[in-house]
Amino acid sequence: MNISIELQVIARILSTTDPEERDVLCSYDSSYYDAFKPQIEFILRHLEKYGKVPDKFTYQTTFPEPDINFVVSEPLEYFKHGLVENKQTIMLREAANKVIDEGAANPAETWAYLIQQGEKALDLDDNKPLDLVHDADKRSQQVIEFNKQKRIPTGFPEIDRALYGGISTVEDLLLFFARMGNGKSWVATRMMETAQANGFSVLYYSPEMQGCFLGTRFDTWRGHFSNSQLHQGKYAEEYMRYLQDLKSQEANAIILEDKDAPNDIVNVPFLKKNVRKYGAQLLIIDGLSYMEDSRAKRNDTDSVKYKNLCSDLFRLSKQCHCGVAVFMQANRASKDSKDESGETFPNIYNIEGSDHPARIATNVFAMRQIFEKHILDIRMEKARSSMNQKPVFSYAWDINTGNARYVPNAEEVSVSTPIIPTDVVTPEMPVSVENIGLDIDDSIEF
């Protein structure tokens, strides 16, 4: 049994101000509960007798433990699904006890009982496939409702336009890949910073870089502070004031490292738990190869691992209403993938381990840097819901100050082209050829 779902439902019943939602949750009788059966029976009797559920004081006078003074923000479908699973587990336990107690003595009767219980358990699932014909009104309205939901900006407006406004929280699995040292973590941090600035809570899995150093990149993107200075702990007064202002914002930007997981094992169930815990609307995974496949079998190949991981992450996106962005390495063969100008540019078949992630993802982007020009190129390799002619989005980028400017004709950019926008100038970092890009002495990893 899932004791937590029982307690969560009770907390929601006692706190919701939506009478329709309350009635739906109260339609599940006490047979859906195990550990908290007396509590739900008390609530349902009170509702039947007085026409309303008891207030928290009345409830806790009778049931002082455990404390139900907490906020539950999960969607209604989460509770319905959880209660059904809970009852199916209860029925499974009862069936197992029946087999142990009477199976050998009355095998035919026991089998009949098991078949009957199995049918009842399956009938509990109230999910119904969509009938495009007879549910035409329902599904057309669903599209409208989905499109009313605010999309998450990526930090790159030109890419947002290609995604119809940004990352969807209905269902979206974005995949970015590049060779090592080409800025994947910087782009991932840009996405986190922009989403948080727009009020979306973000969960970021960082298997390589400690959260505090990743935070300096967040700050460089947000405030255009010199990252080489932040990385060394050299803080100006302006930066200290910025940190104090940052703490007043509501949306989260949570960094998960391997040390935060049981036995240092990060898998999709662990991420899903934390997405729900922190109310994340965007999950960023900065290195899929570091994750464990919770469905792994002995002798599974990398291809199977990546297929399972991405399938489960896409399912997480739909179940938790959370956009997912995955960053992966491109393999060594990408050095032979050239564009029209002869420059190396990885394609879908250069993704490490398997091309399954690209098949499953809704949108796929290849990345590269042309270092001598200080250009970051992001090419759309796949777009499930829009016409895709593989556009390349090019940005002149000063990595040290977090300034990036869209360049429509990147091939015309030379090393002497200033890249800091005219409306953003960092006082301690004057524009010059020397500070465009990253000096070796800055000692900052991509």
Side-chain angles (χ1 to χ4, degrees):
M1 277 66 60
N2 184 352
I3 295 176
S4 64
I5 192 67
E6 298 182 22
L7 186 58
Q8 283 179 295
V9 172
I10 288 174
R12 186 61 161 264
I13 289 174
L14 297 178
S15 62
T16 184
T17 57
D18 184 343
E20 183 176 343
E21 181 180 71
R22 180 207 64 192
D23 290 344
V24 170
L25 294 177
C26 288
S27 68
Y28 293 86
D29 61 36
S30 62
S31 67
Y32 287 82
Y33 296 76
D34 183 67
F36 292 90
K37 185 185 287 285
Q39 287 88 338
I40 193 64
E41 288 177 343
F42 173 78
I43 291 172
L44 296 178
R45 284 198 304 269
H46 194 285
L47 176 61
E48 182 179 1
K49 185 173 182 179
Y50 300 107
K52 62 183 292 292
V53 299
D55 58 30
K56 289 184 180 180
F57 179 81
T58 302
Y59 174 85
Q60 291 191 307
T61 300
T62 307
F63 303 100
E65 296 292 341
D67 184 11
I68 51 88
N69 286 316
F70 56 86
V71 177
V72 184
S73 58
E74 299 293 353
L76 180 60
E77 290 302 316
Y78 168 80
F79 298 118
K80 292 166 63 178
H81 179 72
L83 285 174
V84 167
E85 279 196 343
N86 207 51
K87 182 165 182 176
Q88 288 173 333
T89 304
I90 292 170
M91 294 175 68
L92 185 61
R93 181 189 62 187
E94 293 172 348
N97 290 336
K98 177 83 170 180
V99 172
I100 293 172
D101 295 339
E102 304 178 19
N106 301 292
E109 181 180 326
T110 301
W111 272 113
Y113 169 80
L114 290 175
I115 293 171
Q116 182 184 49
Q117 288 295 91
E119 291 176 349
K120 287 181 179 179
L122 293 175
D123 287 342
L124 290 175
D125 190 351
D126 58 358
N127 292 328
K128 297 179 180 179
L130 182 67
D131 182 341
L132 293 181
V133 176
H134 299 99
D135 293 333
D137 291 340
K138 176 183 176 181
R139 46 104 169 169
S140 60
Q141 184 60 34
Q142 209 170 28
V143 172
I144 294 174
E145 295 301 321
F146 284 162
N147 280 281
K148 287 180 180 179
Q149 297 188 25
K150 187 178 179 182
R151 287 179 172 254
I152 305 171
T154 63
F156 301 93
E158 298 74 24
I159 294 177
D160 290 341
R161 283 193 283 274
L163 298 176
Y164 298 126
I167 303 170
S168 171
T169 57
V170 176
E171 57 174 40
D172 226 347
L173 176 61
L174 276 66
L175 175 63
F176 292 79
F177 64 97
R179 286 294 290 154
M180 66 183 78
N182 273 259
K184 293 186 298 298
S185 294
W186 277 97
V187 171
T189 310
R190 174 60 168 171
M191 294 176 66
M192 170 175 59
E193 182 275 323
T194 304
Q196 190 279 334
N198 283 272
F200 294 94
S201 289
V202 184
L203 184 68
Y204 187 120
Y205 169 47
S206 177
E208 294 180 337
M209 183 176 291
Q210 291 190 50
C212 60
F213 290 113
L214 201 63
T216 67
R217 298 185 177 189
F218 180 101
D219 300 333
T220 292
W221 281 119
R222 178 67 57 89
H224 305 291
F225 302 102
S226 169
N227 194 261
S228 60
Q229 296 294 305
L230 298 186
H231 197 79
Q232 299 174 69
K234 297 177 180 179
Y235 304 152
E237 290 185 10
E238 180 187 3
Y239 178 68
M240 300 306 294
R241 289 194 297 270
Y242 153 83
L243 291 180
Q244 293 305 310
D245 291 340
L246 187 65
K247 292 193 296 185
S248 65
Q249 298 188 14
E250 292 186 8
N252 296 323
I254 305 295
I255 306 298
L256 279 181
E257 301 175 43
D258 290 337
K259 65 178 178 59
D260 300 313
N263 301 316
D264 295 340
I265 294 176
V266 173
N267 54 27
V268 175
F270 174 74
L271 292 178
K272 182 185 291 186
K273 172 186 173 182
N274 281 277
V275 164
R276 287 171 169 164
K277 177 180 179 180
Y278 295 106
Q281 295 153 292
L282 175 62
L283 169 63
I284 298 174
I285 297 168
D286 192 4
L288 193 68
S289 61
Y290 291 89
M291 289 185 60
E292 296 284 340
D293 176 14
S294 61
R295 295 191 278 151
K297 298 178 182 178
R298 189 176 182 180
N299 299 324
D300 274 356
T301 62
D302 282 347
S303 180
V304 172
K305 170 186 174 179
Y306 291 134
K307 179 180 179 181
N308 288 345
L309 285 174
C310 287
S311 296
D312 292 345
L313 287 169
F314 190 36
R315 192 174 297 112
L316 179 155
S317 175
K318 292 189 282 188
Q319 291 173 342
C320 299
H321 302 287
C322 173
V324 179
V326 174
F327 289 77
M328 298 183 68
Q329 292 277 6
N331 59 34
R332 294 177 182 176
S334 61
K335 69 181 186 299
D336 298 321
S337 297
K338 311 286 186 180
D339 63 8
E340 295 79 1
S341 61
E343 296 278 0
T344 299
F345 211 150
N347 60 48
I348 280 179
Y349 302 105
N350 299 136
I351 297 173
E352 62 172 330
S354 170
D355 61 357
H356 278 301
R359 297 181 189 178
I360 297 167
T362 53
N363 300 279
V364 181
F365 297 89
M367 292 172 44
R368 72 170 177 193
Q369 281 199 72
I370 303 178
F371 293 99
E372 62 272 19
K373 292 186 177 181
H374 309 288
I375 290 292
L376 169 69
D377 286 332
I378 304 176
R379 182 175 67 202
M380 178 177 279
E381 293 284 308
K382 172 188 173 182
R384 187 182 68 176
S385 300
S386 62
M387 183 178 68
N388 179 28
Q389 297 177 328
K390 293 194 175 183
V392 177
F393 307 97
S394 299
Y395 298 89
W397 178 21
D398 179 0
I399 194 172
N400 193 48
T401 61
N403 288 304
R405 174 171 55 84
Y406 177 60
V407 183
N409 298 304
E411 65 274 7
E412 299 176 5
V413 176
S414 67
V415 71
S416 61
T417 303
I419 65 173
I420 297 182
T422 56
D423 60 335
V424 180
V425 178
T426 306
E428 77 253 32
M429 202 69 174
V431 180
S432 68
V433 174
E434 286 73 26
N435 66 45
I436 294 176
L438 182 65
D439 293 331
I440 295 175
D441 293 339
D442 285 333
S443 302
I444 302 175
E445 298 180 357
F446 286 96

